Amino acid sequence: MILARFKSKDITLFLMKILRNLRNYEGPLTEVNVRGENYRTIPDFEPSVIFAQAFGADTGVFSYNQRLAIATRDAREFFEQDLTAIVQEEVGKCLKRIREGNFYSIGESYKEGERAKLRSKIDTRGVLELCGEVAEKSGLDVNKVLYIAHPLHIYRVMEIGKKLGFDGEPFIEKEVHWNPEDKQPWVRSVKLWIPREILTRIHHKIMGVA
């Protein structure tokens, strides 16, 4: 009976972790405004580097990756530093469009005419591993990372970061936005995102990824 209760408790804790922050990041963040855009972050945090994770495959002016590029620019302005940003390639393309510099673009994005079917070309952990390598080679502190990602992606990004030995705080949009035209179907809406996210989190917990 004791063993059965212990197993039941473990299962409950497992499910609580899997279902946490599914519809928005619930951490104790403060709302800030930069250039008319509302974000949530830790205002007194002192970041050393930005890690920006792409969301979807599109890089057009209406893509979510464009919003992440703008968030990167706004984070620099808010923290009053020209922080080095290590970003996934899709975000890098958008940073070039808005004429932001001082960033490393990593990963492998979809080329013109390619279709995003079931998986990204590089997963969240793969991106973070590369971010860590670039940061350490550049003398940047991976214990002071400012994470920029979609509000429903940020929790998993940060959990994987912890597993890799990083520490930091988020800088995310207050409102949750979606791109219904993105090549990756699971980032088009919350209804498409959540089932895949739950399965991904279960996989990550079982495999020790996050």
Side-chain angles (χ1 to χ4, degrees), residues 11-62:
I11 292 170
T12 300
L13 291 173
F14 178 82
L15 291 174
M16 286 175 64
K17 289 180 179 179
I18 294 300
L19 300 175
R20 186 179 298 163
N21 298 301
L22 270 177
R23 292 188 173 273
N24 208 333
Y25 184 75
E26 299 170 2
L29 305 180
T30 299
E31 183 179 336
V32 300
N33 186 282
V34 184
R35 299 192 183 200
E37 296 288 341
N38 293 318
Y39 298 96
R40 296 168 62 222
T41 192
I42 303 293
D44 59 356
F45 182 54
E46 297 180 357
S48 172
V49 62
I50 291 172
F51 287 178
Q53 190 99 23
F55 195 74
D58 289 356
T59 57
V61 294
F62 299 112

Side-chain angles (χ1 to χ4, degrees), residues 186-200:
W186 59 89
V187 302
R188 294 175 186 167
S189 70
V190 66
K191 290 182 179 179
L192 293 171
W193 172 259
I194 287 180
R196 187 179 187 276
E197 179 67 5
I198 290 173
L199 292 174
T200 301

Side-chain angles (χ1 to χ4, degrees), residues 33-39 50-76 87-88 90-98 100 147-151 171-180 182 187:
N33 186 282
V34 184
R35 299 192 183 200
E37 296 288 341
N38 293 318
Y39 298 96
I50 291 172
F51 287 178
Q53 190 99 23
F55 195 74
D58 289 356
T59 57
V61 294
F62 299 112
S63 68
Y64 199 82
N65 290 312
Q66 175 80 1
R67 302 186 73 91
L68 292 167
I70 291 170
T72 300
R73 178 201 68 193
D74 291 350
R76 287 169 165 169
V87 306
Q88 199 164 352
E90 292 86 352
V91 180
K93 289 180 178 180
C94 296
L95 282 170
K96 289 179 182 177
R97 179 185 297 118
I98 64 173
E100 283 289 302
Y147 289 101
I148 294 178
H150 189 278
F171 188 90
I172 54 174
E173 288 190 300
K174 179 187 177 185
E175 302 297 330
V176 179
H177 298 273
W178 303 91
N179 175 15
D182 197 279
V187 302

